Amino acid sequence: EIVLTQSPGTLSLSPGERATLSCRASQSVSSSYLAWYQQKPGQAPRLLIYGASSRATGIPDRFSGSGSGTDFTLTISRLEPEDFAVYYCQQYGSSPPAYTFGQGTKLEIK
Amino acid sequence: EVQLVQSGAEVKKPGESLKISCKGSGYSFTSYWIGWVRQMPGKGLEWMGIIYPGDSDTRYSPSFQGQVTISADKSISTAYLQWSSLKASDTAMYYCVRGEYYYGSGSYPEYFQHWGQGTLVTVSS
């Protein structure tokens, strides 16, 4: 089973700053199989990025994803007040199907 | 517009049974896998299993195999998650999700674009 480890656990930044969130896999993951989600308090998660770097419909271009192999990154270029939330990475493994989430990174206002 | 609408919050006692639902609309319900994701209080996301409503092919996470049953009724575009005997540790928010393919098709979906609003299940004596 592939384990995803996200860092840091909590990231304290100010609006306008750049945020860099990391997701490291215990084994190599196909880039096609890596996604990122945002969850705000009391809400369901929202898909941000799929295929490691493709933005989901309606996601602002300040959000970008990159990486390959075991190291993936979600970058928010200029933080807006509504971006402060918890972020999860997720990978898919086939045969049998398995979906693993990272433990999350909380992005909080400094 | 794709929508997944889940049934309302439930409060149950240990040992009781429960079945929660997720109704899909705005798309061909039989053509997309539906999954379930658990979120325990203050914790992260855990995948429980997926079902293909077209033929009811169902796959479970090893962590949830034998603990829950996932089913679907394609005639009413609804997927279900059920327990035969609840435990206090089943207290959580449960989300249904629609699976998507990066390349447009495949054996199983790779990520989840659409999420239900969640069903809060509380199990307490």
Side-chain angles (χ1 to χ4, degrees):
Chain A
E1 176 190 334
I2 295 178
V3 176
L4 298 179
T5 301
Q6 294 186 239
S7 61
T10 301
L11 184 58
S12 300
L13 293 170
S14 301
E17 291 192 293
R18 180 185 187 89
T20 303
L21 287 66
S22 173
C23 176
R24 179 161 291 176
S26 59
Q27 303 172 42
S28 185
V29 173
S30 168
S31 296
S32 305
Y33 301 163
L34 197 288
W36 290 90
Y37 302 84
Q38 175 195 65
Q39 186 178 32
K40 297 180 181 179
Q43 296 185 18
R46 175 176 71 147
L47 176 71
L48 298 175
I49 301 287
Y50 64 95
S53 60
S54 298
R55 269 188 303 277
T57 304
I59 301 303
D61 61 7
R62 64 179 181 273
F63 290 91
S64 63
S66 62
S68 63
T70 59
D71 289 298
F72 297 88
T73 300
L74 175 69
T75 301
I76 311 172
S77 58
R78 292 172 308 280
L79 285 166
E80 297 286 344
E82 62 268 27
D83 298 336
F84 292 92
V86 178
Y87 292 83
Y88 295 95
C89 57
Q90 172 251 312
Q91 71 87 29
Y92 157 74
S94 62
S95 302
Y99 304 86
T100 308
F101 292 90
Q103 83 280 15
T105 289
K106 181 179 182 181
L107 178 57
E108 65 176 24
I109 299 177
K110 187 174 182 180
Chain B
E1 178 194 8
V2 174
Q3 284 194 309
L4 297 173
V5 178
Q6 298 184 230
S7 49
E10 301 274 2
V11 179
K12 291 289 190 179
K13 291 181 168 32
E16 291 186 330
S17 63
L18 176 64
K19 192 173 190 178
I20 63 175
S21 66
C22 169
K23 183 173 177 60
S25 63
Y27 72 100
S28 174
F29 185 73
T30 55
S31 299
Y32 289 83
W33 291 82
I34 291 285
W36 288 93
V37 174
R38 182 176 79 173
Q39 187 167 39
M40 298 178 76
K43 302 299 184 182
L45 305 170
E46 301 172 271
W47 172 68
M48 303 176 72
I50 52 172
I51 186 167
Y52 190 74
D55 61 7
S56 292
D57 185 8
T58 308
R59 308 291 167 148
Y60 293 93
S61 161
S63 298
F64 292 93
Q65 179 84 49
Q67 308 304 307
V68 297
T69 301
I70 294 172
S71 60
D73 184 340
K74 60 186 179 183
S75 69
I76 55 171
S77 301
T78 300
Y80 301 97
L81 177 65
Q82 69 180 88
W83 296 260
S84 59
S85 180
L86 286 160
K87 301 185 281 287
S89 57
D90 293 317
T91 294
M93 182 71 80
Y94 294 87
Y95 295 100
C96 64
V97 294
R98 196 185 86 167
E100 312 292 339
Y101 300 96
Y102 181 73
Y103 291 111
S105 65
S107 298
Y108 303 102
E110 290 106 14
Y111 62 95
F112 308 117
Q113 166 83 55
H114 300 281
W115 292 64
Q117 84 276 20
T119 295
L120 180 62
V121 174
T122 302
V123 184
S124 174
S125 54

mmCIF file of all heavy atoms in Angstrom, chain A residues 43-60:
data_model
loop_
_atom_site.group_PDB
_atom_site.id
_atom_site.type_symbol
_atom_site.label_atom_id
_atom_site.label_comp_id
_atom_site.label_asym_id
_atom_site.label_seq_id
_atom_site.Cartn_x
_atom_site.Cartn_y
_atom_site.Cartn_z
ATOM 1 N N GLN A 43 -17.513 21.898 4.995
ATOM 2 C CA GLN A 43 -17.800 21.660 3.578
ATOM 3 C C GLN A 43 -17.185 20.351 3.107
ATOM 4 O O GLN A 43 -16.227 19.843 3.706
ATOM 5 C CB GLN A 43 -17.257 22.793 2.716
ATOM 6 C CG GLN A 43 -17.904 24.151 2.970
ATOM 7 C CD GLN A 43 -17.399 25.210 2.007
ATOM 8 O OE1 GLN A 43 -16.829 24.912 0.949
ATOM 9 N NE2 GLN A 43 -17.616 26.472 2.365
ATOM 10 N N ALA A 44 -17.742 19.833 2.020
ATOM 11 C CA ALA A 44 -17.133 18.670 1.370
ATOM 12 C C ALA A 44 -15.845 19.107 0.675
ATOM 13 O O ALA A 44 -15.696 20.277 0.289
ATOM 14 C CB ALA A 44 -18.099 18.079 0.357
ATOM 15 N N PRO A 45 -14.912 18.191 0.515
ATOM 16 C CA PRO A 45 -13.705 18.522 -0.253
ATOM 17 C C PRO A 45 -14.063 18.925 -1.685
ATOM 18 O O PRO A 45 -15.100 18.546 -2.214
ATOM 19 C CB PRO A 45 -12.910 17.209 -0.229
ATOM 20 C CG PRO A 45 -13.381 16.522 1.011
ATOM 21 C CD PRO A 45 -14.849 16.855 1.092
ATOM 22 N N ARG A 46 -13.159 19.723 -2.286
ATOM 23 C CA ARG A 46 -13.329 20.167 -3.668
ATOM 24 C C ARG A 46 -12.083 19.796 -4.450
ATOM 25 O O ARG A 46 -10.956 20.060 -3.983
ATOM 26 C CB ARG A 46 -13.555 21.681 -3.705
ATOM 27 C CG ARG A 46 -13.618 22.266 -5.106
ATOM 28 C CD ARG A 46 -13.946 23.741 -5.119
ATOM 29 N NE ARG A 46 -12.895 24.603 -4.635
ATOM 30 C CZ ARG A 46 -12.657 25.838 -5.081
ATOM 31 N NH1 ARG A 46 -13.396 26.311 -6.080
ATOM 32 N NH2 ARG A 46 -11.721 26.583 -4.560
ATOM 33 N N LEU A 47 -12.269 19.196 -5.610
ATOM 34 C CA LEU A 47 -11.131 18.843 -6.451
ATOM 35 C C LEU A 47 -10.475 20.107 -6.992
ATOM 36 O O LEU A 47 -11.142 20.967 -7.554
ATOM 37 C CB LEU A 47 -11.583 17.954 -7.615
ATOM 38 C CG LEU A 47 -10.505 17.585 -8.626
ATOM 39 C CD1 LEU A 47 -9.507 16.606 -8.016
ATOM 40 C CD2 LEU A 47 -11.140 16.980 -9.884
ATOM 41 N N LEU A 48 -9.153 20.196 -6.824
ATOM 42 C CA LEU A 48 -8.376 21.312 -7.367
ATOM 43 C C LEU A 48 -7.571 20.897 -8.595
ATOM 44 O O LEU A 48 -7.599 21.545 -9.637
ATOM 45 C CB LEU A 48 -7.377 21.835 -6.327
ATOM 46 C CG LEU A 48 -7.903 22.420 -5.031
ATOM 47 C CD1 LEU A 48 -6.735 22.758 -4.116
ATOM 48 C CD2 LEU A 48 -8.754 23.647 -5.306
ATOM 49 N N ILE A 49 -6.819 19.819 -8.432
ATOM 50 C CA ILE A 49 -5.838 19.383 -9.424
ATOM 51 C C ILE A 49 -5.982 17.880 -9.636
ATOM 52 O O ILE A 49 -6.152 17.130 -8.669
ATOM 53 C CB ILE A 49 -4.395 19.665 -8.948
ATOM 54 C CG1 ILE A 49 -4.164 21.153 -8.682
ATOM 55 C CG2 ILE A 49 -3.366 19.094 -9.932
ATOM 56 C CD1 ILE A 49 -4.075 22.011 -9.919
ATOM 57 N N TYR A 50 -5.934 17.431 -10.889
ATOM 58 C CA TYR A 50 -5.876 16.009 -11.189
ATOM 59 C C TYR A 50 -4.742 15.775 -12.179
ATOM 60 O O TYR A 50 -4.258 16.716 -12.812
ATOM 61 C CB TYR A 50 -7.219 15.505 -11.726
ATOM 62 C CG TYR A 50 -7.616 16.131 -13.053
ATOM 63 C CD1 TYR A 50 -7.331 15.501 -14.259
ATOM 64 C CD2 TYR A 50 -8.279 17.359 -13.083
ATOM 65 C CE1 TYR A 50 -7.685 16.075 -15.465
ATOM 66 C CE2 TYR A 50 -8.633 17.936 -14.289
ATOM 67 C CZ TYR A 50 -8.349 17.292 -15.471
ATOM 68 O OH TYR A 50 -8.682 17.870 -16.670
ATOM 69 N N GLY A 51 -4.324 14.523 -12.290
ATOM 70 C CA GLY A 51 -3.201 14.249 -13.177
ATOM 71 C C GLY A 51 -1.956 15.026 -12.798
ATOM 72 O O GLY A 51 -1.155 15.395 -13.661
ATOM 73 N N ALA A 52 -1.806 15.303 -11.531
ATOM 74 C CA ALA A 52 -0.670 16.014 -10.933
ATOM 75 C C ALA A 52 -0.606 17.504 -11.273
ATOM 76 O O ALA A 52 -0.123 18.305 -10.467
ATOM 77 C CB ALA A 52 0.662 15.366 -11.313
ATOM 78 N N SER A 53 -1.088 17.894 -12.476
ATOM 79 C CA SER A 53 -0.894 19.288 -12.880
ATOM 80 C C SER A 53 -2.064 19.911 -13.633
ATOM 81 O O SER A 53 -1.970 21.076 -14.041
ATOM 82 C CB SER A 53 0.363 19.394 -13.760
ATOM 83 O OG SER A 53 0.227 18.597 -14.920
ATOM 84 N N SER A 54 -3.145 19.182 -13.830
ATOM 85 C CA SER A 54 -4.298 19.718 -14.562
ATOM 86 C C SER A 54 -5.295 20.324 -13.580
ATOM 87 O O SER A 54 -5.724 19.655 -12.647
ATOM 88 C CB SER A 54 -4.986 18.615 -15.375
ATOM 89 O OG SER A 54 -4.112 18.080 -16.339
ATOM 90 N N ARG A 55 -5.633 21.601 -13.823
ATOM 91 C CA ARG A 55 -6.612 22.239 -12.939
ATOM 92 C C ARG A 55 -8.016 21.752 -13.264
ATOM 93 O O ARG A 55 -8.397 21.632 -14.438
ATOM 94 C CB ARG A 55 -6.564 23.764 -13.101
ATOM 95 C CG ARG A 55 -5.614 24.466 -12.150
ATOM 96 C CD ARG A 55 -5.768 25.971 -12.251
ATOM 97 N NE ARG A 55 -5.560 26.446 -13.607
ATOM 98 C CZ ARG A 55 -4.383 26.687 -14.131
ATOM 99 N NH1 ARG A 55 -3.290 26.498 -13.410
ATOM 100 N NH2 ARG A 55 -4.281 27.120 -15.378
ATOM 101 N N ALA A 56 -8.797 21.506 -12.203
ATOM 102 C CA ALA A 56 -10.191 21.121 -12.389
ATOM 103 C C ALA A 56 -11.000 22.330 -12.864
ATOM 104 O O ALA A 56 -10.555 23.483 -12.763
ATOM 105 C CB ALA A 56 -10.760 20.581 -11.076
ATOM 106 N N THR A 57 -12.177 22.051 -13.360
ATOM 107 C CA THR A 57 -13.051 23.102 -13.878
ATOM 108 C C THR A 57 -13.320 24.162 -12.825
ATOM 109 O O THR A 57 -13.675 23.847 -11.686
ATOM 110 C CB THR A 57 -14.388 22.483 -14.339
ATOM 111 O OG1 THR A 57 -14.130 21.468 -15.299
ATOM 112 C CG2 THR A 57 -15.288 23.541 -14.938
ATOM 113 N N GLY A 58 -13.114 25.426 -13.205
ATOM 114 C CA GLY A 58 -13.445 26.524 -12.316
ATOM 115 C C GLY A 58 -12.385 26.879 -11.291
ATOM 116 O O GLY A 58 -12.588 27.797 -10.485
ATOM 117 N N ILE A 59 -11.276 26.176 -11.300
ATOM 118 C CA ILE A 59 -10.218 26.453 -10.324
ATOM 119 C C ILE A 59 -9.329 27.590 -10.831
ATOM 120 O O ILE A 59 -8.830 27.523 -11.957
ATOM 121 C CB ILE A 59 -9.381 25.184 -10.050
ATOM 122 C CG1 ILE A 59 -10.279 24.057 -9.520
ATOM 123 C CG2 ILE A 59 -8.249 25.494 -9.073
ATOM 124 C CD1 ILE A 59 -11.055 24.394 -8.262
ATOM 125 N N PRO A 60 -9.113 28.613 -10.010
ATOM 126 C CA PRO A 60 -8.306 29.761 -10.456
ATOM 127 C C PRO A 60 -6.872 29.357 -10.812
ATOM 128 O O PRO A 60 -6.327 28.412 -10.254
ATOM 129 C CB PRO A 60 -8.315 30.690 -9.238
ATOM 130 C CG PRO A 60 -9.468 30.254 -8.412
ATOM 131 C CD PRO A 60 -9.651 28.801 -8.654
#
